[in-house]
Amino acid sequence: MYLCFDSFTAEAIAVRFGLNLANTAGCSKNEVNSDSMEVVNALSQGYSSSVASSIIDDCYFMSLGFSHVIYDHCNRERNRVAHELARLARFSSPSVWMDNAPDEVIPLLINDATLLMNE
């Protein structure tokens, strides 16, 4: 069975998953990027009155365990890897990769690295 969430809830769930992954990996300083300004604002304020308020609360309480967390809005151009991973996730079972990225996103990761080097 598949659930269909609104975009705000889906993005909040993705952030919660990412914060949990960062905690598991032992990362204490984190920058969370989202192309949803609404989600970034809710995370920055630690509050939301949406249907995803409990997820935003989870993110807030998880973030207290890190020494540093920044929530940053980024446009879709800067978020291409995330969008490709989301597209791939629609057609595959859940998975986590720590060392080797899926082949489909490697060109996008290289592009991101090139853009960062040129900034």
PDB file of all heavy atoms in Angstrom, residues 18-19 22-23 27-32 66 68-71:
ATOM      1  N   GLY A  18      16.433  12.493   7.080  1.00  0.00           N
ATOM      2  CA  GLY A  18      17.807  12.982   6.957  1.00  0.00           C
ATOM      3  C   GLY A  18      18.441  13.304   8.301  1.00  0.00           C
ATOM      4  O   GLY A  18      19.610  13.001   8.541  1.00  0.00           O
ATOM      5  N   LEU A  19      17.674  13.932   9.200  1.00  0.00           N
ATOM      6  CA  LEU A  19      18.198  14.231  10.535  1.00  0.00           C
ATOM      7  C   LEU A  19      18.489  12.942  11.299  1.00  0.00           C
ATOM      8  O   LEU A  19      19.503  12.842  12.005  1.00  0.00           O
ATOM      9  CB  LEU A  19      17.215  15.107  11.313  1.00  0.00           C
ATOM     10  CG  LEU A  19      17.072  16.544  10.827  1.00  0.00           C
ATOM     11  CD1 LEU A  19      15.942  17.248  11.575  1.00  0.00           C
ATOM     12  CD2 LEU A  19      18.379  17.310  10.982  1.00  0.00           C
ATOM     13  N   ALA A  22      21.665  11.575   9.865  1.00  0.00           N
ATOM     14  CA  ALA A  22      22.814  12.354  10.343  1.00  0.00           C
ATOM     15  C   ALA A  22      23.159  11.961  11.775  1.00  0.00           C
ATOM     16  O   ALA A  22      24.339  11.837  12.134  1.00  0.00           O
ATOM     17  CB  ALA A  22      22.512  13.845  10.254  1.00  0.00           C
ATOM     18  N   ASN A  23      22.155  11.770  12.602  1.00  0.00           N
ATOM     19  CA  ASN A  23      22.379  11.357  13.983  1.00  0.00           C
ATOM     20  C   ASN A  23      23.029   9.973  14.032  1.00  0.00           C
ATOM     21  O   ASN A  23      24.004   9.768  14.766  1.00  0.00           O
ATOM     22  CB  ASN A  23      21.052  11.360  14.747  1.00  0.00           C
ATOM     23  CG  ASN A  23      21.237  11.026  16.199  1.00  0.00           C
ATOM     24  OD1 ASN A  23      22.070  11.602  16.873  1.00  0.00           O
ATOM     25  ND2 ASN A  23      20.452  10.084  16.690  1.00  0.00           N
ATOM     26  N   CYS A  27      26.979  12.765  12.777  1.00  0.00           N
ATOM     27  CA  CYS A  27      27.216  14.143  12.322  1.00  0.00           C
ATOM     28  C   CYS A  27      26.637  15.115  13.345  1.00  0.00           C
ATOM     29  O   CYS A  27      25.473  14.998  13.709  1.00  0.00           O
ATOM     30  CB  CYS A  27      26.558  14.377  10.969  1.00  0.00           C
ATOM     31  SG  CYS A  27      27.154  13.278   9.678  1.00  0.00           S
ATOM     32  N   SER A  28      27.440  16.059  13.799  1.00  0.00           N
ATOM     33  CA  SER A  28      26.940  17.005  14.802  1.00  0.00           C
ATOM     34  C   SER A  28      26.620  18.373  14.221  1.00  0.00           C
ATOM     35  O   SER A  28      25.884  19.146  14.815  1.00  0.00           O
ATOM     36  CB  SER A  28      27.954  17.151  15.936  1.00  0.00           C
ATOM     37  OG  SER A  28      29.169  17.689  15.441  1.00  0.00           O
ATOM     38  N   LYS A  29      27.186  18.683  13.052  1.00  0.00           N
ATOM     39  CA  LYS A  29      26.927  19.955  12.381  1.00  0.00           C
ATOM     40  C   LYS A  29      26.255  19.653  11.052  1.00  0.00           C
ATOM     41  O   LYS A  29      26.812  18.950  10.209  1.00  0.00           O
ATOM     42  CB  LYS A  29      28.221  20.725  12.152  1.00  0.00           C
ATOM     43  CG  LYS A  29      28.899  21.135  13.438  1.00  0.00           C
ATOM     44  CD  LYS A  29      30.173  21.890  13.174  1.00  0.00           C
ATOM     45  CE  LYS A  29      30.820  22.306  14.480  1.00  0.00           C
ATOM     46  NZ  LYS A  29      32.064  23.031  14.264  1.00  0.00           N
ATOM     47  N   ASN A  30      25.041  20.182  10.873  1.00  0.00           N
ATOM     48  CA  ASN A  30      24.245  19.821   9.707  1.00  0.00           C
ATOM     49  C   ASN A  30      23.644  21.037   9.029  1.00  0.00           C
ATOM     50  O   ASN A  30      23.238  21.987   9.697  1.00  0.00           O
ATOM     51  CB  ASN A  30      23.110  18.879  10.134  1.00  0.00           C
ATOM     52  CG  ASN A  30      23.641  17.610  10.736  1.00  0.00           C
ATOM     53  OD1 ASN A  30      24.113  16.750  10.017  1.00  0.00           O
ATOM     54  ND2 ASN A  30      23.589  17.491  12.055  1.00  0.00           N
ATOM     55  N   GLU A  31      23.590  20.981   7.708  1.00  0.00           N
ATOM     56  CA  GLU A  31      22.873  21.973   6.920  1.00  0.00           C
ATOM     57  C   GLU A  31      21.792  21.234   6.152  1.00  0.00           C
ATOM     58  O   GLU A  31      22.075  20.318   5.386  1.00  0.00           O
ATOM     59  CB  GLU A  31      23.796  22.695   5.948  1.00  0.00           C
ATOM     60  CG  GLU A  31      23.056  23.738   5.137  1.00  0.00           C
ATOM     61  CD  GLU A  31      23.963  24.590   4.284  1.00  0.00           C
ATOM     62  OE1 GLU A  31      25.177  24.649   4.541  1.00  0.00           O
ATOM     63  OE2 GLU A  31      23.445  25.202   3.332  1.00  0.00           O
ATOM     64  N   VAL A  32      20.553  21.621   6.396  1.00  0.00           N
ATOM     65  CA  VAL A  32      19.402  20.990   5.759  1.00  0.00           C
ATOM     66  C   VAL A  32      18.899  21.914   4.659  1.00  0.00           C
ATOM     67  O   VAL A  32      18.569  23.068   4.925  1.00  0.00           O
ATOM     68  CB  VAL A  32      18.280  20.727   6.790  1.00  0.00           C
ATOM     69  CG1 VAL A  32      17.062  20.121   6.111  1.00  0.00           C
ATOM     70  CG2 VAL A  32      18.783  19.826   7.913  1.00  0.00           C
ATOM     71  N   PHE A  66      22.008  18.033  18.082  1.00  0.00           N
ATOM     72  CA  PHE A  66      23.160  18.416  17.262  1.00  0.00           C
ATOM     73  C   PHE A  66      23.773  19.691  17.812  1.00  0.00           C
ATOM     74  O   PHE A  66      23.085  20.526  18.401  1.00  0.00           O
ATOM     75  CB  PHE A  66      22.737  18.649  15.806  1.00  0.00           C
ATOM     76  CG  PHE A  66      22.135  17.444  15.142  1.00  0.00           C
ATOM     77  CD1 PHE A  66      20.824  17.452  14.717  1.00  0.00           C
ATOM     78  CD2 PHE A  66      22.889  16.299  14.931  1.00  0.00           C
ATOM     79  CE1 PHE A  66      20.254  16.353  14.095  1.00  0.00           C
ATOM     80  CE2 PHE A  66      22.333  15.183  14.317  1.00  0.00           C
ATOM     81  CZ  PHE A  66      21.014  15.213  13.897  1.00  0.00           C
ATOM     82  N   HIS A  68      24.956  21.995  15.883  1.00  0.00           N
ATOM     83  CA  HIS A  68      24.672  23.075  14.934  1.00  0.00           C
ATOM     84  C   HIS A  68      23.775  22.554  13.813  1.00  0.00           C
ATOM     85  O   HIS A  68      24.081  21.535  13.212  1.00  0.00           O
ATOM     86  CB  HIS A  68      25.999  23.570  14.354  1.00  0.00           C
ATOM     87  CG  HIS A  68      25.875  24.777  13.488  1.00  0.00           C
ATOM     88  ND1 HIS A  68      25.689  26.032  13.979  1.00  0.00           N
ATOM     89  CD2 HIS A  68      25.899  24.904  12.145  1.00  0.00           C
ATOM     90  CE1 HIS A  68      25.615  26.888  12.980  1.00  0.00           C
ATOM     91  NE2 HIS A  68      25.744  26.230  11.866  1.00  0.00           N
ATOM     92  N   VAL A  69      22.681  23.243  13.561  1.00  0.00           N
ATOM     93  CA  VAL A  69      21.797  22.905  12.445  1.00  0.00           C
ATOM     94  C   VAL A  69      21.368  24.193  11.756  1.00  0.00           C
ATOM     95  O   VAL A  69      20.945  25.140  12.416  1.00  0.00           O
ATOM     96  CB  VAL A  69      20.532  22.138  12.896  1.00  0.00           C
ATOM     97  CG1 VAL A  69      19.632  21.846  11.704  1.00  0.00           C
ATOM     98  CG2 VAL A  69      20.885  20.847  13.600  1.00  0.00           C
ATOM     99  N   ILE A  70      21.495  24.226  10.449  1.00  0.00           N
ATOM    100  CA  ILE A  70      21.028  25.346   9.631  1.00  0.00           C
ATOM    101  C   ILE A  70      19.974  24.798   8.677  1.00  0.00           C
ATOM    102  O   ILE A  70      20.168  23.755   8.053  1.00  0.00           O
ATOM    103  CB  ILE A  70      22.176  25.955   8.797  1.00  0.00           C
ATOM    104  CG1 ILE A  70      23.220  26.598   9.692  1.00  0.00           C
ATOM    105  CG2 ILE A  70      21.633  26.970   7.798  1.00  0.00           C
ATOM    106  CD1 ILE A  70      24.450  27.061   8.927  1.00  0.00           C
ATOM    107  N   TYR A  71      18.852  25.506   8.573  1.00  0.00           N
ATOM    108  CA  TYR A  71      17.820  25.173   7.595  1.00  0.00           C
ATOM    109  C   TYR A  71      17.891  26.226   6.503  1.00  0.00           C
ATOM    110  O   TYR A  71      17.798  27.419   6.785  1.00  0.00           O
ATOM    111  CB  TYR A  71      16.435  25.152   8.245  1.00  0.00           C
ATOM    112  CG  TYR A  71      16.329  24.119   9.339  1.00  0.00           C
ATOM    113  CD1 TYR A  71      16.303  24.484  10.671  1.00  0.00           C
ATOM    114  CD2 TYR A  71      16.274  22.771   9.027  1.00  0.00           C
ATOM    115  CE1 TYR A  71      16.212  23.526  11.671  1.00  0.00           C
ATOM    116  CE2 TYR A  71      16.187  21.808  10.022  1.00  0.00           C
ATOM    117  CZ  TYR A  71      16.155  22.192  11.333  1.00  0.00           C
ATOM    118  OH  TYR A  71      16.074  21.248  12.318  1.00  0.00           O
TER     119      TYR A  71
END
